Amino acid sequence: MEQFQTVKFAADRLVAPFCILLASYVCYLLSLVVYNAYFHPLARFPGPFWWGATPIPYVWHQLNGRLPFVFSELHAKHGDVVRVLPYMLSFRDANAWRDIYQIRPKRKLLTKDPYVMSPGSEGAYNIITSFDPAEHARFRERLNPGFSTRAFRGQELMVMTHVDELIEKLRAKCSSEEAQDMVKWPALLYFDIVADLIFGKNLGNVEGEHPHPWLDGLFGSTMRLITYFNAARQFPHLTPFLKLFFPKDLMDQQVKHAAFTRDSVDERMQLKEGKASNSHDFMSYILPYDEATTHMSMAEIRSTYGTLMIAGSENVSTTASFTIYHLLKNPDALRKATEEVRQSCKRDEDITFTSIGGMKYLSGVVNESMRLNPAAPTTQSRVVPKGGVAVSGNLVPEGARVGAPPYCINHHAEFFKDPESFLPERWTDDPRFSSDQPQVFHPFQLGPRACAGKSIALAEIQLLIAKILFHFDISLDKSCAEWSKDMKIFHLWQLRPLLVHFSIRQG
Ligand code: HEM
């Protein structure tokens, strides 16, 4: 009893300091809200009150997977410039891309945002997450040979072999009535290709018709975790506490991904020259490894190639799935694309990187799919350098974050006529779309941080679509008629299975 009273007494004594602490914290938060709303250097920009006063609405929509769609609503209501966070502005107008992401004469570069860029595995920054221009240039220099025109030509046979393997699998499935999941198959295919591209090894996803343990559960999970990290960082005092609530399965995926990357890098380093299945793989350009001449630490190498395994496959796979879906939902486009492929190529062997490069309508189909559903639909924020900069004619103070929202821009009627319809003709000099502004379309970003893999990505997607249209007649399973409706975005799209029926082509 006496012991109980001692504990109660001690607890009573703690109540007052705790209440004072809590009250001070609440006062601090309230003063922050007032400061953000009325005195912050960005307070003069338009936007809903609570978005400018606290990060809560932004984080709420981010965690609901709706942020890019809500940005469209915000711009529709508040105009071309909207304050979407106390310290961030979103720009929808035609000059935003150039002003934010490109190198401009006599102006400091707007760098990636250290606030949202986490290092990759082993705590090392990599080609995508690095926000220091000098560090990024060091990485990019090492990677560039793998993205050269010469390398691109050398990659054709490898890509073709993997695509043909999938075509054979799909052909074998034609005898059964079973619909094929065109989210699963492209994921298997492009993860095989990226592993071959980077490490010169075949993971056998397509061959086994099942995700390799490395791929199993990987797509979707990394970007979901990044979304949680970014959301937690909006509340700096609480970040360590919030991290405790990150789903364990997502954290485990990252541990598994890091282990597979480490093993693949180590394995590739030990292979003798010419022993990889693809001797022009990205890693061949840094071998034999010597830190002094490679200018990348082992941790940076693992972090970079691990990130590339995802960056070089999930976006491609997502784009291929959306392209197939849009074609199936638009019979006229499907017919025109099929005719183009079958008329320009009489035999399967005629479908090459060169021949698909000349297929204008097919290229329009892929562009239009990326316009409606850009694989990277979220805003990539940049930091305004010392002295501030003008963005779309607005002087933005230093330290602010700025960005152009791809999804919102691509769906804006001022830039694209009939923006919600799938109309590949708009990319084919059709005079009906002469008022379109294709210069605002940047699915691969622009400037020094633009996608290094654009050419190979487009070739991979167009090759698969061309081969499918050449060999098969396809139709959408009824259950997927509204496949893209209410889809969530956690950095990238969270895709559901896309069921498609395949039959050997008629005629
Ligand atoms: C449809 C497919 C793809 C799309 C839509 C896409 C899009 C993008 C975007 C938007 C960025 C900029 C990200 C940022 O600013 O944070 C980026 C960066 C990058 N992407 Fe891609 N990507 C695709 C495929 C690929 C492929 C296949 C590869 C390589 C095999 C690749 C390699 C890279 C690299 C290395 C970067 C970093 C560039 C740098 O900062 O220097 N991407 N990509």
Side-chain angles (χ1 to χ4, degrees), residues 471-487:
H471 288 283
F472 305 106
D473 292 331
I474 52 176
S475 60
L476 189 61
D477 190 80
K478 278 197 208 83
S479 64
C480 294
E482 299 298 324
W483 177 72
S484 64
K485 198 168 169 226
D486 297 331
M487 209 174 255

Side-chain angles (χ1 to χ4, degrees), residues 336-355:
K336 286 184 186 163
T338 308
E339 269 172 26
E340 182 182 62
V341 173
R342 292 183 188 176
Q343 275 166 17
S344 27
C345 301
K346 295 293 167 222
R347 302 165 310 157
D348 171 85
E349 306 84 274
D350 298 336
I351 307 174
T352 62
F353 276 10
T354 309
S355 67

Side-chain angles (χ1 to χ4, degrees), residues 337-409:
T338 308
E339 269 172 26
E340 182 182 62
V341 173
R342 292 183 188 176
Q343 275 166 17
S344 27
C345 301
K346 295 293 167 222
R347 302 165 310 157
D348 171 85
E349 306 84 274
D350 298 336
I351 307 174
T352 62
F353 276 10
T354 309
S355 67
I356 54 171
M359 296 182 191
K360 292 262 165 23
Y361 193 80
L362 182 65
S363 157
V365 163
V366 176
N367 268 352
E368 187 64 348
S369 173
M370 288 195 292
R371 185 186 67 78
L372 285 173
N373 300 96
T378 46
T379 305
Q380 310 287 335
S381 65
R382 295 290 189 264
V383 185
V384 175
K386 227 173 170 11
V389 289
V391 179
S392 307
N394 300 272
L395 189 62
V396 184
E398 69 185 56
R401 271 52 170 177
V402 289
Y407 182 87
C408 166
I409 289 177

Side-chain angles (χ1 to χ4, degrees), residues 22-34 237:
L22 191 67
S24 317
Y25 190 59
V26 170
C27 283
Y28 163 74
L29 290 180
L30 285 175
S31 56
L32 202 61
V33 167
V34 171
H237 302 116

Side-chain angles (χ1 to χ4, degrees), residues 154-167:
Q155 287 148 1
E156 179 170 10
L157 180 61
M158 178 275 287
V159 173
M160 190 74 75
T161 309
H162 285 289
V163 172
D164 284 344
E165 188 180 24
L166 174 54
I167 295 297

Side-chain angles (χ1 to χ4, degrees), residues 143 145-148 150-158 196-200 268 274-285:
L143 257 68
F147 294 109
S148 66
R150 190 156 168 256
F152 176 75
R153 289 285 152 214
Q155 287 148 1
E156 179 170 10
L157 180 61
M158 178 275 287
D196 220 335
L197 210 52
I198 297 174
F199 302 113
R268 179 65 184 94
K275 284 277 159 84
S277 73
N278 162 20
S279 57
H280 298 293
D281 58 296
F282 290 175
M283 279 203 59
S284 67
Y285 299 107

